Amino acid sequence: GHVYRGSRWPRLLGLYLYGDYCSGRIWALRGGPENWETRQLLNTGRSISAFGIDELGALYVVDYGSGEVLAVTDPDVEESVRSVVPAVAHVFGSGGTPWRAELAITNPNGQPAAVDLVFSGGGTTFEGSATVPAGGGVAWPDVLVDLFGMDTTDQAAGVVEVLSEVPVTVSARSYAAVADGTFGQYLPGLRSSDGIGAGEFGLVPQLARSETRYTNLGFVNLGDQPVELAVVLRDDTGEALADVMTIDLDAGQWIQLFDVLSGLGQHEAASARVEVMTPAGRAWAYGSVIDRDSRDPTTVPMSVP
């Protein structure tokens, strides 16, 4: 057997896990202040011939009968921590402005974190992976090119799903890659719990449209099923500016409505009320207020009253 020193299964940390070839049973041995304690964890029915570990401390067992190498897991712990980042893009926007997305991952744990990343958008899918050092971080200034290997002449926009063995912090910055430089906007890596569910609503404030600013309105489905949203735009007096909009999102999908207040007059403090209409659905929304001169966007996240 081996002592488990990985980061994926905290309840197994420090246990000596060992098994028996004949019975297929696996036990855990823990050293106490006065004696050693052992208990059976599992009766596998396998012919256990060896244990092994990888560079991240993950533990594996070998079944002599089948020749399989099997990972040892904790069934009571979710296998991966999932974050969703909307508005990841490598596209040309209004006026031919080149929009790019920088994505960063920070690992607060005492062990390296293995992460898998999947981009989905417009029928395009890319996959990538990385190892984030313990206490450190990684960043890709133009993530679709730098991590996923997209050609610099291609265009794509969508969502990046980040799956990690341990909790990590995921964030992104969407910016206009112009000669004068821009600051861009912050976008968070979202967990399912960050969204609103059926029967709940959120508010996106500070939506503006004037000679100097305009506002995009974005939505992302944080669940694994399609979701329907009802969206109402209101002015600063609370009056509805248009009929209720219905937004349909597939699982994991992100969409952004360009210049959402166009044709509805000038406003400095309009808002959007977003409600989830689908049972078990979960979604998140944000405003992107963009300066017409610098092209710098400012993120206005949804709040839940």
Side-chain angles (χ1 to χ4, degrees):
H2 281 281
V3 176
Y4 180 76
R5 294 191 176 92
S7 59
R8 189 168 191 173
W9 315 112
R11 295 199 307 172
L12 302 182
L13 187 63
L15 297 180
Y16 177 74
L17 300 174
Y18 63 101
D20 177 56
Y21 176 86
C22 294
S23 69
R25 291 182 291 173
I26 294 178
W27 294 269
L29 181 67
R30 183 192 299 275
E34 298 181 357
N35 54 23
W36 291 82
E37 300 176 351
T38 187
R39 66 185 180 95
Q40 181 178 317
L41 296 182
L42 188 64
N43 188 348
T44 68
R46 303 274 185 168
S47 300
I48 299 173
S49 58
F51 283 83
I53 56 174
D54 65 17
E55 68 275 9
L56 295 180
L59 183 65
Y60 301 88
V61 62
V62 178
D63 179 7
Y64 182 85
S66 67
E68 293 178 283
V69 178
L70 307 164
V72 176
T73 66
D74 185 343
D76 293 329
V77 177
E78 185 180 359
E79 286 197 14
S80 60
V81 181
R82 175 178 180 265
S83 298
V84 175
V85 184
V88 174
H90 186 284
V91 297
F92 290 97
S94 176
T97 306
W99 288 94
R100 305 291 183 260
E102 179 181 66
L103 191 142
I105 302 175
T106 303
N107 176 17
N109 303 283
Q111 297 286 339
V115 295
D116 294 316
L117 303 96
V118 180
F119 169 83
S120 302
T124 300
T125 301
F126 297 119
E127 296 183 359
S129 62
T131 299
V132 187
V138 295
W140 300 274
D142 186 355
V143 67
L144 284 173
V145 172
D146 298 337
L147 173 66
F148 294 112
M150 191 179 83
D151 192 282
T152 56
T153 61
D154 290 341
Q155 298 192 62
V159 166
V160 168
E161 181 181 40
V162 180
L163 299 174
S164 172
E165 296 180 342
V166 293
V168 294
T169 298
V170 183
S171 60
R173 182 175 67 95
S174 177
Y175 63 96
V178 294
D180 294 337
T182 64
F183 291 104
Q185 69 174 341
Y186 161 77
L187 289 163
L190 300 161
R191 307 277 174 82
S192 177
S193 57
D194 293 322
I196 53 174
E200 299 179 319
F201 72 92
L203 296 176
V204 183
Q206 292 183 266
L207 308 187
R209 192 175 199 278
S210 66
E211 294 181 356
T212 60
R213 296 184 293 168
Y214 66 92
T215 302
N216 298 336
L217 187 60
F219 311 89
V220 60
N221 181 354
L222 299 179
D224 56 5
Q225 300 292 328
V227 67
E228 179 183 294
L229 308 178
V231 181
V232 179
L233 299 174
R234 301 184 184 277
D235 64 17
D236 57 353
T237 69
E239 292 294 323
L241 292 170
D243 294 336
V244 177
M245 294 187 293
T246 299
I247 306 294
D248 293 309
L249 296 170
D250 291 332
Q253 185 184 7
W254 159 75
I255 65 170
Q256 182 168 270
L257 305 180
F258 174 77
D259 196 3
V260 69
L261 297 175
S262 177
L264 300 176
Q266 294 199 356
H267 301 278
E268 295 295 334
S271 64
R273 184 185 189 277
V274 182
E275 183 177 358
V276 174
M277 308 302 293
T278 306
R282 297 206 65 84
W284 187 78
Y286 67 95
S288 179
V289 183
I290 300 174
D291 183 279
R292 293 183 186 272
D293 291 330
S294 70
R295 299 293 182 178
D296 266 325
T298 299
T299 304
V300 182
M302 177 184 71
S303 62
V304 181

